[in-house]
Amino acid sequence: MKMVLAIIRPEKLEDVKKALESKGFVAMTVNEVKGRGEQKGITLQFRGRTMEVDLLPKVEIFMVVKDEDVDTVVDTIIKSARTGRYGDGKIFIIPVEKSIRIRTGEFET
Amino acid sequence: MKMVLAIIRPEKLEDVKKALESKGFVAMTVNEVKGRGEQKGITLQFRGRTMEVDLLPKVEIFMVVKDEDVDTVVDTIIKSARTGRYGDGKIFIIPVEKSIRIRTGEFET
Amino acid sequence: MKMVLAIIRPEKLEDVKKALESKGFVAMTVNEVKGRGEQKGITLQFRGRTMEVDLLPKVEIFMVVKDEDVDTVVDTIIKSARTGRYGDGKIFIIPVEKSIRIRTGEFET
Amino acid sequence: MNSGDTAWILVATALVMLMTPGVGLFYAGMVRRKNAIAMITLSIICLIVVGIQWVVYAYSLAFGNDVAGFIGDLSYFMLNNVGLEPAKGMTIPHILFMIYQMMFAVITLAIITSAVAERVKVSAFVVFGILWITFVYAPFVHWLWGNGWLAKLGALDFAGGMVVHVSSGFGALALALVIGKRMGFGEYSMEPHNIPMTLLGGALLWFGWFGFNGGSALAANGLAANAIVVTFVASCVAGAVWMIVSWIKGKPGSLSIISGVIAGLAAITPAAGFVDVKGAIAIGLVAGILCYIALDFRVRKGIDESLDAWAIHGIGGTWGSLAVGLFATKAVNDYAGLLYGNVALLKAQIIAVVATVIYAFVVTFILAKIVDVVMGLRVSHEEEYVGLDISQHGEVAYS
Amino acid sequence: MNSGDTAWILVATALVMLMTPGVGLFYAGMVRRKNAIAMITLSIICLIVVGIQWVVYAYSLAFGNDVAGFIGDLSYFMLNNVGLEPAKGMTIPHILFMIYQMMFAVITLAIITSAVAERVKVSAFVVFGILWITFVYAPFVHWLWGNGWLAKLGALDFAGGMVVHVSSGFGALALALVIGKRMGFGEYSMEPHNIPMTLLGGALLWFGWFGFNGGSALAANGLAANAIVVTFVASCVAGAVWMIVSWIKGKPGSLSIISGVIAGLAAITPAAGFVDVKGAIAIGLVAGILCYIALDFRVRKGIDESLDAWAIHGIGGTWGSLAVGLFATKAVNDYAGLLYGNVALLKAQIIAVVATVIYAFVVTFILAKIVDVVMGLRVSHEEEYVGLDISQHGEVAYS
Amino acid sequence: MNSGDTAWILVATALVMLMTPGVGLFYAGMVRRKNAIAMITLSIICLIVVGIQWVVYAYSLAFGNDVAGFIGDLSYFMLNNVGLEPAKGMTIPHILFMIYQMMFAVITLAIITSAVAERVKVSAFVVFGILWITFVYAPFVHWLWGNGWLAKLGALDFAGGMVVHVSSGFGALALALVIGKRMGFGEYSMEPHNIPMTLLGGALLWFGWFGFNGGSALAANGLAANAIVVTFVASCVAGAVWMIVSWIKGKPGSLSIISGVIAGLAAITPAAGFVDVKGAIAIGLVAGILCYIALDFRVRKGIDESLDAWAIHGIGGTWGSLAVGLFATKAVNDYAGLLYGNVALLKAQIIAVVATVIYAFVVTFILAKIVDVVMGLRVSHEEEYVGLDISQHGEVAYS
Ligand SMILES: Nc1ncnc2c1ncn2[C@@H]1O[C@H](COP(=O)(O)OP(=O)(O)O)[C@@H](O)[C@H]1O
Ligand SMILES: Nc1ncnc2c1ncn2[C@@H]1O[C@H](COP(=O)(O)OP(=O)(O)O)[C@@H](O)[C@H]1O
Ligand SMILES: Nc1ncnc2c1ncn2[C@@H]1O[C@H](COP(=O)(O)OP(=O)(O)O)[C@@H](O)[C@H]1O
């Protein structure tokens, strides 16, 4: 199995979810994160002092799927998350050795 | 080493922590996430407009442990996190190549 | 490619970011988490009742980098995140099979 | 008509109005994140529903011509005969007295929402609320302030020790027993999701209480001034007691401190127009201790009266109402208590407290049961699990 | 001078002042997290900028000696001739009337920020605000309260149905059209980031409205009391309407309920000194329905008047101003409406409403265009993307 | 007794009371998340502790019969002789004057908590607070308002420029030097955890200040009206100055704007009953600039007076107290300043300012040292690291 870990724009979450759902991929875990790619930083200020802020809000989705589904999932995410502008995000594929359902104890590898 | 990554019910966190502790597994990283398994969505509404909300709060725990400890950890989590109802969550086992302690620089593989 | 996943002190984030930047590693994803290493718990209280709280705020950074860059990144993080006291955190190296840029669809392995 | 008195009651009305969202915030901070909106919204619904109900008929039930010492008639239905001129014996417009009283009805119902936190069906609460104001609150007002049987008996309740706090406190206890515990109560801890919100709500309550107790003098005079002084002092003392006790038992939690403050405020409410500062200190001291014990008892018994309206308002109001019979002094008003050699007042207070405690508990229990049987007080397990914000209101508090 | 009246207006001034940060919080809870500070800060900037502008010359434009029925002269420039003694025909210090009026100007501008939420350049807003107060708000005050042409015509506006709500509501609509939609509007949902904050803001508005409408009696008397009663009742009724309608269409969202309350408050504002409780119920009922429809219409048309100042204040104020002509009753004040057999008042109200709606929309549109052309009303795409908190204020709301 | 005056001071008391949790929220938003509860709770503890202390003996120290021009005697111990009737020369109940003054004592101590943010031991703060009110605050009140030596000298302090702001500001500076910097101060940035909370707190302060300065007229009259006008104008001007300066240096941060507003409020406080609007503009302008420079200086010197009570209240209050001697005008009250040809007042103000600045700094330093030596002012490193919410109160702000 593989974990498909995608970092996307927060405003694209709904689209991505729907697109994946329509392909039958429902189960997922979602997390709000911050990230930067190659963008420049932004200068912040607090009562006269200045500081750099360069991390922008992103959404991290991960789905653990069968090896043969990886390509479909990746394709679906790319299509639904893309705007063509900087900041669209990245997808990483990570090997998963085992997946266990807590409710039943059953597992897949 | 392996990373045991578990998605559990938030209200089970205390139980899981205690169960792991009693088996000697203390170190862990915890994160609030949202997720869905196979549950149906719920319809939301904002001043007349409606929207689907289907991600429920979950807690993600990960522990990086020695290969031989994986089964104990997984078993302990299953026992302490299970309610038997939908939404109990999942555990994923991910290979870890190396673990480094920042304070000392020492590492394990 | 590898994912370098580091759990550090929140107050060290700026230093770590700057150190990595100066070595040319800009892209990263950051997340607020809670964690514990081997510290003892702390007793909390709510209107007379008591409870254990033992998870302290940490920051999780991950960077997906080329295999040959792993050591530099790890070294840089260790140097910039270390205080020498308990709680400095850990770094984990996880294999990544593929990395895809959503904007362009291009990928690296 | 006196413009100074009118100015003060105009403001006092606004202050008491603000207390209801104050209760909403106070409670909302203590529930889980998934029920934050629902908790505040219940307080807003109290404003809306009781606001309408009061002008239509409930004011009349409370203050209409006495029927058998028990209830008012419908002479003020739709505010008929409630004019812009002062009512007999008053120095403020009759209609101002009416709306000032309305705000008391509103907040009393809001206090009760403690009992149903995180599990009530909104529709059922609306129905329950209308019934409760009709059959518990309006009669209590009539008994004590509308020249009903307790007033005739000589019982005193300056700003609502029985009318507001006993009624809502013991009502909450009954309601909690009918609706049952929250899923998971006692199994895992349900931590307050936003303590600063609770402290803000508590601060607004404290602020509004100046209008609540001070306004009950219905004039801007020495009595009003005395009321705000004893009110504030009692709250400080009870807050200090909770701080010290929770310190002894562990750490001085902010929720303990602010709960102690509210306990002191509830306890001084019936007495604010009758006691002096020494009385206030005594009332605050005992209120602090009693309410702390009550809360502890409630928790140990495993009763899920979730946000402690009973322990704080119910027990605080009970103690304060009895304390009127002890500490009332002619230095402040026309009445003397036991400490000043008069036993009759204490007797009247005991009768009034016993009557209101029993009536509030029993009638609330019956009303809650009826609503539960007819339409179900409680949401489904699934709705409770996802939280009332989503299931009842279709909203998410923070995003 | 009357000390009771003065006490009341001192307090009413403070209450209305608090409404402006109240608007800030109300709005801020509904925007995305990245614009939370910016939304509150706009309201604070309204206080600061209009506060200064008002004492320098805008008060004079509004209440100075009449020039052609359209505007006041500069006789009160820098508060010359605005003393500590009562002005003619008043029982409160002239300077107190001045600051009470100032708070109305401030909040009116704050309401308009709805239209530019999450995309306005702060500098441009400051310039727009100064112009708008000068060319729209001050004239409206003069027309209706400064003995201008509408006042002479016999049009009534008790506490600002046209002066405040029509002007800001239709102004917001024009401004929204000029500045354009938010990036992504209509493409993805923009969820409110903190609903409890909106409910808190709403509660502060509700609270402050006691001073807004009650204070407009400029005395602590029966009229003030009537004003707060009808104000509160109308808000409850309109809140109940929104609750019911949103229940029918889905779930009773808290944002619907509180929006309904605000709609009721806006609608009763022009009428609060002229109608009785029955009139208030009618006004609240219709306001609830009309504003709900307006909001729905706005959404369906894809107009990004982001936080619905138009639908709620604009339409609410319009309806309420007309309703004065229907429900005004001599039981409350010296004026009678259509229901009481007088058609003249309704005619005056219609003329006034039409004039103010058109003027507010057109002149605001022109002012916004000028500012847009000269300096740009809107931030860059990139700044909008990272949010105004960072790009305009260099701050992050929560960390 | 005058009912209008009484109504106003009843309300003003409530308004000033609300300022203390306002300070708590204002400060809490600027600290890190792990200390949010602790910061608010300190303000609540000020209410509780000083509330009790004041009625027991501190009011008497402040306003009892003069002893050597320095302090009052114990004639008002336990509020003996503080009745429901007006005190000599007043139109409001004596007991009302007492509680109004109490709220000033409370908030002054709350302002000082700036200096110990995120590192103070609660127990030590309670002890320090009791000492500080006894040995710094009560004497200051006596000197200026209790017919003490500065009053006899002719020094004026309308609403607490020296009594409240100089004392707390310079006290905070001394306290900060004794307790030392926060762990990590200067090494990494400590970002405010919740700026909307700070803005809300600031709004409540602004609101409450109407009661603070307006109420100090002790009557609902032209003087009170003038006080709220100049107060508001000065705050707007100083807020505008900070906005502009921070704009020039980067971006107009909301924290800058609201800090400027508070600086203006602190500066106008001593002058609110003596100057007119032109004076207010001048005071606000200079206050904005001076306090900004002071804050900058404090940061550059690496002094961890964490939330800038010194820069804002201390410097603002100092400037405002001197400004009384410049801008006081007989158009407002019985006193004339330098600009109106009277040099005596300025002399008295200079003496008073110098005396209070030195006394506040030195005595606070000594008291803080004593507490530090006896019981330790500061938590352990470990407790500071996990945060005061957990270590002092056993609570977590948000979950
Ligand atoms: N190498 C990386 N390691 C970890 N996270 C990354 C990496 N590259 C990108 N990200 C994450 O993806 C997000 C979007 O990346 P970005 O470079 O902005 O996309 P694009 O290449 O389309 O501009 C970043 O904000 C960051 O969270
Ligand atoms: N394939 C998956 N990939 C990623 N996360 C998953 C996956 N399956 C489940 N999860 C996570 O686990 C949580 C619980 O899963 P769920 O399916 O509800 O458990 P159950 O199978 O007991 O009903 C989900 O909310 C989601 O966060
Ligand atoms: N085995 C582990 N698995 C998962 N997370 C870990 C593990 N060990 C440490 N961590 C994370 O790293 C953080 C810091 O670890 P800690 O043991 O406190 O560092 P140190 O060894 O320097 O004291 C913890 O709070 C936790 O989040």
Side-chain angles (χ1 to χ4, degrees), chain E residues 85-122:
Chain E
E85 293 306 306
K88 207 168 26 157
M90 286 195 188
T91 59
I92 61 168
H94 188 174
I95 201 168
L96 178 57
F97 176 73
M98 184 284 301
I99 192 169
Y100 181 62
Q101 284 295 332
M102 178 201 285
M103 298 308 165
F104 281 66
V106 168
I107 192 177
T108 307
L109 186 59
I111 292 169
I112 281 202
T113 60
S114 158
V116 295
E118 313 198 272
R119 57 203 187 279
V120 76
K121 224 193 299 187
V122 172

Short mmCIF file of all heavy atoms in Angstrom, two decimals, chain E residues 85-122:
data_model
loop_
_atom_site.label_atom_id
_atom_site.label_comp_id
_atom_site.label_asym_id
_atom_site.label_seq_id
_atom_site.Cartn_x
_atom_site.Cartn_y
_atom_site.Cartn_z
N GLU E 85 -23.39 74.19 28.08
CA GLU E 85 -24.80 74.45 28.40
C GLU E 85 -25.70 73.80 27.36
O GLU E 85 -25.26 73.53 26.25
CB GLU E 85 -25.05 75.96 28.41
CG GLU E 85 -24.33 76.67 29.54
CD GLU E 85 -24.66 76.04 30.89
OE1 GLU E 85 -25.87 75.93 31.21
OE2 GLU E 85 -23.73 75.62 31.60
N PRO E 86 -26.95 73.57 27.72
CA PRO E 86 -27.87 72.98 26.74
C PRO E 86 -28.08 73.90 25.54
O PRO E 86 -28.06 75.12 25.67
CB PRO E 86 -29.19 72.86 27.52
CG PRO E 86 -28.79 72.83 28.95
CD PRO E 86 -27.57 73.71 29.05
N ALA E 87 -28.22 73.30 24.39
CA ALA E 87 -28.63 74.05 23.20
C ALA E 87 -30.11 74.37 23.33
O ALA E 87 -30.81 73.79 24.17
CB ALA E 87 -28.37 73.23 21.95
N LYS E 88 -30.56 75.24 22.49
CA LYS E 88 -31.96 75.66 22.56
C LYS E 88 -32.91 74.46 22.50
O LYS E 88 -32.77 73.59 21.66
CB LYS E 88 -32.25 76.62 21.39
CG LYS E 88 -33.37 77.59 21.68
CD LYS E 88 -33.43 78.70 20.63
CE LYS E 88 -32.84 78.20 19.32
NZ LYS E 88 -33.22 78.85 18.14
N GLY E 89 -33.83 74.42 23.43
CA GLY E 89 -34.84 73.38 23.39
C GLY E 89 -34.41 72.04 23.92
O GLY E 89 -35.15 71.07 23.87
N MET E 90 -33.18 71.98 24.41
CA MET E 90 -32.70 70.71 24.94
C MET E 90 -32.49 70.77 26.44
O MET E 90 -32.40 71.85 27.02
CB MET E 90 -31.39 70.34 24.28
CG MET E 90 -31.57 69.87 22.87
SD MET E 90 -30.10 69.06 22.27
CE MET E 90 -30.57 68.89 20.55
N THR E 91 -32.39 69.60 27.04
CA THR E 91 -32.18 69.53 28.49
C THR E 91 -30.82 68.91 28.82
O THR E 91 -30.55 68.57 29.95
CB THR E 91 -33.28 68.68 29.13
OG1 THR E 91 -33.22 67.38 28.52
CG2 THR E 91 -34.65 69.29 28.91
N ILE E 92 -29.99 68.74 27.78
CA ILE E 92 -28.66 68.16 28.00
C ILE E 92 -27.62 69.12 27.42
O ILE E 92 -27.92 69.93 26.55
CB ILE E 92 -28.54 66.78 27.32
CG1 ILE E 92 -28.73 66.88 25.80
CG2 ILE E 92 -29.55 65.80 27.91
CD1 ILE E 92 -28.36 65.64 25.02
N PRO E 93 -26.36 69.01 27.89
CA PRO E 93 -25.33 69.92 27.37
C PRO E 93 -25.20 69.79 25.85
O PRO E 93 -25.29 68.69 25.31
CB PRO E 93 -24.05 69.40 28.05
CG PRO E 93 -24.51 68.70 29.28
CD PRO E 93 -25.84 68.11 28.93
N HIS E 94 -25.00 70.92 25.20
CA HIS E 94 -24.87 70.91 23.76
C HIS E 94 -23.73 69.99 23.31
O HIS E 94 -23.86 69.21 22.37
CB HIS E 94 -24.61 72.35 23.26
CG HIS E 94 -24.65 72.48 21.76
ND1 HIS E 94 -24.58 73.67 21.10
CD2 HIS E 94 -24.76 71.54 20.79
CE1 HIS E 94 -24.63 73.48 19.79
NE2 HIS E 94 -24.73 72.19 19.59
N ILE E 95 -22.62 70.04 24.05
CA ILE E 95 -21.46 69.25 23.68
C ILE E 95 -21.76 67.75 23.80
O ILE E 95 -21.17 66.91 23.09
CB ILE E 95 -20.25 69.67 24.54
CG1 ILE E 95 -18.95 69.27 23.86
CG2 ILE E 95 -20.33 69.10 25.94
CD1 ILE E 95 -17.72 69.90 24.49
N LEU E 96 -22.68 67.42 24.69
CA LEU E 96 -23.07 66.01 24.84
C LEU E 96 -23.89 65.56 23.62
O LEU E 96 -23.69 64.45 23.10
CB LEU E 96 -23.88 65.84 26.13
CG LEU E 96 -24.40 64.44 26.42
CD1 LEU E 96 -23.28 63.41 26.46
CD2 LEU E 96 -25.16 64.41 27.76
N PHE E 97 -24.77 66.42 23.17
CA PHE E 97 -25.53 66.11 21.96
C PHE E 97 -24.56 65.90 20.79
O PHE E 97 -24.71 64.97 19.99
CB PHE E 97 -26.49 67.26 21.65
CG PHE E 97 -27.24 67.08 20.36
CD1 PHE E 97 -28.26 66.14 20.27
CD2 PHE E 97 -26.91 67.81 19.22
CE1 PHE E 97 -28.94 65.96 19.06
CE2 PHE E 97 -27.58 67.63 18.02
CZ PHE E 97 -28.60 66.69 17.95
N MET E 98 -23.53 66.75 20.76
CA MET E 98 -22.54 66.66 19.68
C MET E 98 -21.86 65.29 19.67
O MET E 98 -21.75 64.63 18.65
CB MET E 98 -21.50 67.78 19.88
CG MET E 98 -20.43 67.93 18.84
SD MET E 98 -19.08 66.73 18.87
CE MET E 98 -18.41 66.97 20.52
N ILE E 99 -21.41 64.81 20.83
CA ILE E 99 -20.68 63.55 20.84
C ILE E 99 -21.63 62.36 20.65
O ILE E 99 -21.27 61.35 20.04
CB ILE E 99 -19.79 63.39 22.09
CG1 ILE E 99 -18.82 62.20 21.89
CG2 ILE E 99 -20.59 63.22 23.35
CD1 ILE E 99 -17.73 62.07 22.92
N TYR E 100 -22.83 62.48 21.16
CA TYR E 100 -23.82 61.42 20.92
C TYR E 100 -24.03 61.26 19.42
O TYR E 100 -23.99 60.14 18.88
CB TYR E 100 -25.13 61.77 21.64
CG TYR E 100 -26.21 60.74 21.48
CD1 TYR E 100 -26.04 59.45 21.97
CD2 TYR E 100 -27.42 61.04 20.86
CE1 TYR E 100 -27.05 58.50 21.83
CE2 TYR E 100 -28.43 60.11 20.73
CZ TYR E 100 -28.24 58.82 21.21
OH TYR E 100 -29.22 57.89 21.06
N GLN E 101 -24.18 62.36 18.74
CA GLN E 101 -24.33 62.33 17.28
C GLN E 101 -23.08 61.79 16.59
O GLN E 101 -23.16 61.13 15.56
CB GLN E 101 -24.64 63.74 16.76
CG GLN E 101 -26.08 64.18 17.02
CD GLN E 101 -27.08 63.33 16.26
OE1 GLN E 101 -26.79 62.79 15.20
NE2 GLN E 101 -28.27 63.17 16.81
N MET E 102 -21.93 62.09 17.14
CA MET E 102 -20.67 61.61 16.55
C MET E 102 -20.67 60.09 16.45
O MET E 102 -20.25 59.51 15.44
CB MET E 102 -19.49 62.05 17.43
CG MET E 102 -18.15 61.55 16.94
SD MET E 102 -16.92 61.55 18.26
CE MET E 102 -16.57 63.29 18.42
N MET E 103 -21.16 59.45 17.49
CA MET E 103 -21.11 58.00 17.52
C MET E 103 -21.99 57.39 16.42
O MET E 103 -21.71 56.30 15.93
CB MET E 103 -21.53 57.48 18.89
CG MET E 103 -20.60 57.93 20.01
SD MET E 103 -18.85 57.54 19.64
CE MET E 103 -18.03 58.58 20.85
N PHE E 104 -23.04 58.11 16.05
CA PHE E 104 -23.88 57.65 14.94
C PHE E 104 -23.12 57.71 13.62
O PHE E 104 -23.21 56.82 12.78
CB PHE E 104 -25.15 58.49 14.86
CG PHE E 104 -26.20 58.12 15.85
CD1 PHE E 104 -25.99 58.30 17.21
CD2 PHE E 104 -27.40 57.55 15.44
CE1 PHE E 104 -26.96 57.94 18.15
CE2 PHE E 104 -28.37 57.19 16.36
CZ PHE E 104 -28.16 57.38 17.71
N ALA E 105 -22.38 58.81 13.44
CA ALA E 105 -21.60 58.94 12.21
C ALA E 105 -20.58 57.81 12.12
O ALA E 105 -20.40 57.18 11.07
CB ALA E 105 -20.90 60.29 12.18
N VAL E 106 -19.93 57.55 13.24
CA VAL E 106 -18.90 56.51 13.27
C VAL E 106 -19.46 55.16 12.86
O VAL E 106 -18.92 54.47 12.00
CB VAL E 106 -18.29 56.42 14.69
CG1 VAL E 106 -17.43 55.18 14.81
CG2 VAL E 106 -17.48 57.67 15.02
N ILE E 107 -20.54 54.77 13.51
CA ILE E 107 -21.03 53.41 13.26
C ILE E 107 -21.59 53.28 11.86
O ILE E 107 -21.54 52.22 11.25
CB ILE E 107 -22.06 52.97 14.32
CG1 ILE E 107 -22.29 51.47 14.15
CG2 ILE E 107 -23.34 53.75 14.26
CD1 ILE E 107 -23.21 50.86 15.13
N THR E 108 -22.12 54.36 11.31
CA THR E 108 -22.68 54.27 9.97
C THR E 108 -21.57 53.90 8.98
O THR E 108 -21.75 53.04 8.11
CB THR E 108 -23.36 55.59 9.59
OG1 THR E 108 -24.29 55.92 10.61
CG2 THR E 108 -24.09 55.46 8.27
N LEU E 109 -20.44 54.56 9.14
CA LEU E 109 -19.32 54.21 8.26
C LEU E 109 -18.84 52.78 8.52
O LEU E 109 -18.50 52.05 7.58
CB LEU E 109 -18.17 55.20 8.47
CG LEU E 109 -16.99 55.04 7.52
CD1 LEU E 109 -17.40 55.19 6.07
CD2 LEU E 109 -15.88 56.03 7.85
N ALA E 110 -18.88 52.37 9.79
CA ALA E 110 -18.44 51.01 10.10
C ALA E 110 -19.34 49.97 9.44
O ALA E 110 -18.87 48.91 8.98
CB ALA E 110 -18.40 50.79 11.61
N ILE E 111 -20.62 50.26 9.36
CA ILE E 111 -21.54 49.29 8.74
C ILE E 111 -21.17 49.07 7.28
O ILE E 111 -21.22 47.95 6.77
CB ILE E 111 -23.01 49.79 8.85
CG1 ILE E 111 -23.45 49.77 10.32
CG2 ILE E 111 -23.95 48.93 8.01
CD1 ILE E 111 -24.78 50.48 10.58
N ILE E 112 -20.77 50.13 6.61
CA ILE E 112 -20.43 50.06 5.19
C ILE E 112 -19.26 49.12 4.90
O ILE E 112 -19.13 48.61 3.79
CB ILE E 112 -20.07 51.47 4.67
CG1 ILE E 112 -21.35 52.25 4.40
CG2 ILE E 112 -19.25 51.40 3.42
CD1 ILE E 112 -21.14 53.38 3.43
N THR E 113 -18.40 48.89 5.89
CA THR E 113 -17.22 48.07 5.61
C THR E 113 -17.60 46.66 5.15
O THR E 113 -16.78 45.94 4.61
CB THR E 113 -16.30 47.98 6.84
OG1 THR E 113 -17.00 47.40 7.93
CG2 THR E 113 -15.81 49.36 7.26
N SER E 114 -18.83 46.29 5.40
CA SER E 114 -19.36 45.02 4.86
C SER E 114 -19.01 44.86 3.38
O SER E 114 -18.66 43.77 2.92
CB SER E 114 -20.88 45.01 5.02
OG SER E 114 -21.49 44.12 4.12
N ALA E 115 -19.13 45.95 2.65
CA ALA E 115 -19.03 45.89 1.19
C ALA E 115 -17.62 45.62 0.69
O ALA E 115 -17.44 45.17 -0.45
CB ALA E 115 -19.52 47.20 0.58
N VAL E 116 -16.64 45.91 1.52
CA VAL E 116 -15.27 45.84 1.05
C VAL E 116 -14.45 44.80 1.81
O VAL E 116 -13.23 44.74 1.70
CB VAL E 116 -14.58 47.21 1.17
CG1 VAL E 116 -15.24 48.21 0.25
CG2 VAL E 116 -14.60 47.72 2.61
N ALA E 117 -15.17 43.97 2.54
CA ALA E 117 -14.52 42.98 3.39
C ALA E 117 -13.51 42.14 2.62
O ALA E 117 -13.77 41.72 1.50
CB ALA E 117 -15.59 42.06 3.98
N GLU E 118 -12.37 41.94 3.20
CA GLU E 118 -11.37 41.00 2.70
C GLU E 118 -10.66 41.45 1.42
O GLU E 118 -9.95 40.68 0.81
CB GLU E 118 -11.96 39.59 2.47
CG GLU E 118 -12.83 39.09 3.63
CD GLU E 118 -13.06 37.59 3.61
OE1 GLU E 118 -14.03 37.12 2.96
OE2 GLU E 118 -12.27 36.87 4.21
N ARG E 119 -10.84 42.72 1.04
CA ARG E 119 -10.17 43.15 -0.19
C ARG E 119 -9.84 44.63 -0.26
O ARG E 119 -9.25 45.09 -1.23
CB ARG E 119 -11.01 42.76 -1.40
CG ARG E 119 -12.45 43.33 -1.41
CD ARG E 119 -13.27 42.44 -2.31
NE ARG E 119 -14.62 42.85 -2.60
CZ ARG E 119 -15.67 42.67 -1.80
NH1 ARG E 119 -15.53 42.20 -0.58
NH2 ARG E 119 -16.89 43.00 -2.20
N VAL E 120 -10.20 45.41 0.73
CA VAL E 120 -9.99 46.85 0.61
C VAL E 120 -8.59 47.25 1.07
O VAL E 120 -8.02 46.67 1.98
CB VAL E 120 -11.05 47.63 1.43
CG1 VAL E 120 -10.74 47.58 2.92
CG2 VAL E 120 -11.16 49.07 0.94
N LYS E 121 -8.06 48.26 0.41
CA LYS E 121 -6.81 48.86 0.84
C LYS E 121 -7.12 49.81 1.99
O LYS E 121 -8.00 50.66 1.86
CB LYS E 121 -6.24 49.68 -0.33
CG LYS E 121 -4.76 49.50 -0.55
CD LYS E 121 -4.13 50.52 -1.48
CE LYS E 121 -4.63 50.57 -2.88
NZ LYS E 121 -3.86 51.46 -3.75
N VAL E 122 -6.42 49.73 3.09
CA VAL E 122 -6.75 50.56 4.24
C VAL E 122 -6.68 52.05 3.89
O VAL E 122 -7.57 52.83 4.24
CB VAL E 122 -5.84 50.26 5.44
CG1 VAL E 122 -6.07 51.27 6.56
CG2 VAL E 122 -6.10 48.88 5.96
#
